[in-house]
């Protein structure tokens, strides 16, 4: 920075710092008398310990009670006590972003988890941004290759589309994300692992993502043992990183596992600051934060963010509050079916319960007709499967059912895909059209 620029900034530099003091700690919350601050500002809590000397804990302003400032820490608090100095920064959380982050695993604050230093030459961005103006968003009119036959063929995704992956626990959400990250033709992957078990982070990076996937990926991880605020910030940090590269003109693939744990973290914060539990124990702020987060992805005048958000449905209930809310915001949903997983079908995508709301706008006529034909045949078989299995159906009774019985093993074979198999979008569509007889 030039000397002239520095001189011009002198009048805006504060001549004093604002401090407060911790007055009470209740559960997850820290209350302090001052400093003057706004919601979302980061504060530094100074701790002087006879054991560890001086240390600083970062916390965020999440509310006020009359003249009391309510803070939530980014890290676990151990030695904090009444009287600790609270220093206001008068700014929200900011992170460093740049191309040199590609291939790194970061925490919610944007720092490398392995303890190495951040590369030089990065720029500073805020983690909370407004979504693009709806009138400046270009329409989605181009397909993006995912590399999964069931999605590319039957649930085609467009560049800038936002899709939810809905499933119960242990049905293959993380494995499917790793498969997409390795096979997609997007310029860059940004993966947010929110609320994952500690062992799963390394397993996902080494087993599901692999060296090939990590070489074009930035991973943001906030494990389940971290405070609720860190889990929420992990989602916002990953989104801010994706936005930076979108503004550079890239087609970014953002994957978040899972948005349900973001909602659960916000519920923790909401209950701690005194919000009333509303729908199934979720506080009102949960349903306001979700659209603010999910609407930030998509297209803008520079580039695109194609987003996959996994949603953990409790008891495979697709109508539970978070699943229902997210499904209403996104541009499509992919349902992983436990019964298909139990049969050994991978990926366990139930194409009859899944939908891409943009497929009809971005696929050619031959592709659409072929997908519709296979979907109709698959639906006819599933509707009559019980009768077929118990021998109650006699061949020749219905031409549609006879045809569905003939096609069912072929459709199932098409939907199956090996974990390490890489299939292009063009070859998937060719196979689909050939299987459907040219879509006729």
């Amino acid at each position: 920075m030039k000397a002239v620029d520095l001189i011009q900034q002198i009048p805006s530099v504060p001549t004093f710092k604002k401090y407060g003091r911790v007055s009470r700690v209740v559960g997850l919350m820290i209350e302090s008398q001052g400093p003057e601050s706004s919601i979302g500002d980061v504060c530094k809590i100074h701790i002087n310990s006879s054991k560890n000397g001086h240390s600083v804990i970062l916390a965020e302003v999440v509310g006020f009670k009359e003249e009391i400032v309510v803070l939530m820490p980014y890290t676990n608090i151990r030695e904090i006590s009444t009287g600790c100095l609270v220093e206001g920064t008068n700014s929200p959380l900011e992170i460093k972003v740049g191309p040199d982050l590609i291939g790194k695993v970061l925490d919610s604050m944007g720092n490398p988890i392995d303890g190495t230093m951040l590369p030089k030459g990065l720029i500073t961005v805020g983690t909370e941004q407004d979504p693009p103006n709806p009138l400046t968003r270009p329409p989605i009119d181009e397909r993006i290759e995912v590399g999964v036959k069931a999605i590319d063929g039957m649930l085609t995704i467009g560049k800038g589309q936002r899709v939810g992956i809905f499933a119960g626990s242990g049905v293959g959400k993380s494995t499917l994300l790793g498969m997409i990250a390795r096979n997609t033709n997007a310029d860059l992957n940004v993966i947010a692992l929110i609320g994952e078990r500690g062992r799963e982070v390394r397993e996902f990076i080494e087993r599901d993502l692999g060296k090939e996937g990590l070489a074009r990926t930035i991973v943001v991880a906030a494990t389940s043992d971290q405070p609720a605020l860190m889990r929420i910030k992990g989602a916002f940090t990953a989104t801010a990183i994706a936005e930076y590269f979108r503004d550079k003109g890239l087609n970014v693939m953002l994957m978040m596992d899972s948005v349900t744990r973001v909602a659960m973290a916000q519920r923790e914060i909401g209950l701690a600051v005194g919000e009333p539990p509303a729908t199934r124990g979720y506080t009102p702020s949960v349903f306001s934060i979700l659209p603010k987060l999910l609407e930030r992805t998509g297209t803008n005048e520079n580039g695109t963010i194609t987003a996959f958000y996994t949603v953990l449905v409790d008891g495979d209930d697709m109508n539970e509050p978070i699943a229902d809310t997210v499904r209403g915001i996104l541009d499509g949903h992919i349902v992983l079916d436990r019964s298909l997983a139990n049969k050994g079908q991978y990926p366990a995508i139930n194409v009859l319960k899944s939908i891409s709301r943009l497929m009809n706008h971005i696929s050619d006529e031959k592709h659409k007709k072929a997908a519709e034909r296979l979907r109709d045949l698959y639906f006819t078989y599933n509707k009559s499967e019980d009768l077929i299995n118990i021998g109650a159906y006699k061949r020749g009774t219905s031409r549609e059912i006879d045809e569905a019985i003939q096609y069912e093993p072929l459709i199932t074979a098409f939907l199956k895909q090996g974990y390490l198999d890489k299939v292009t979008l063009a070859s998937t569509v060719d196979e689909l059209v050939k299987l459907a007889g040219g879509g006729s």
Side-chain angles (χ1 to χ4, degrees), residues 338-358:
R338 192 178 300 277
S339 63
L340 295 178
N342 292 339
K343 291 179 183 178
Q345 179 174 324
Y346 179 81
I349 297 174
N350 189 325
V351 295
L352 298 178
K353 294 182 179 179
S354 307
I355 189 171
S356 170
R357 292 176 179 164
L358 295 175

Side-chain angles (χ1 to χ4, degrees), residues 311-324:
V311 181
L312 184 64
V313 288
D314 293 333
D316 295 333
D317 178 12
M318 293 298 299
N319 295 316
E320 61 96 21
I322 300 304
D324 195 45

Side-chain angles (χ1 to χ4, degrees), residues 247-265:
D247 292 341
K248 295 295 182 182
L250 300 183
N251 296 312
V252 183
M253 180 73 74
L254 172 66
M255 288 169 274
M256 189 175 296
D257 185 15
S258 70
V259 73
T260 304
R261 295 193 178 103
V262 176
M264 293 171 70

Side-chain angles (χ1 to χ4, degrees), residues 374-427:
L374 292 191
R375 186 184 289 267
D376 289 342
L377 289 167
Y378 203 44
F379 173 76
T380 301
Y381 180 86
N382 277 267
K383 185 174 64 173
S384 309
E385 186 174 16
D386 290 340
L387 292 176
I388 297 168
N389 289 339
I390 65 175
Y393 174 75
K394 294 183 179 180
R395 292 286 182 106
T397 305
S398 168
R399 184 175 63 84
E400 291 81 7
I401 297 178
D402 288 345
E403 191 177 19
I405 294 173
Q406 177 186 350
Y407 269 86
E408 190 275 335
L410 301 175
I411 297 172
T412 300
F414 171 78
L415 297 176
K416 283 185 177 181
Q417 186 172 341
Y419 167 64
L420 296 176
D421 293 347
K422 185 173 183 178
V423 186
T424 64
L425 174 61
S427 62

Side-chain angles (χ1 to χ4, degrees), residues 18-22 32-36 44 83-88:
K18 300 175 182 178
Y19 287 92
R21 287 193 180 275
V22 173
S32 72
Q33 296 279 355
E36 182 181 333
K44 299 178 181 179
C84 288
L85 281 178
V86 181
E87 178 186 347

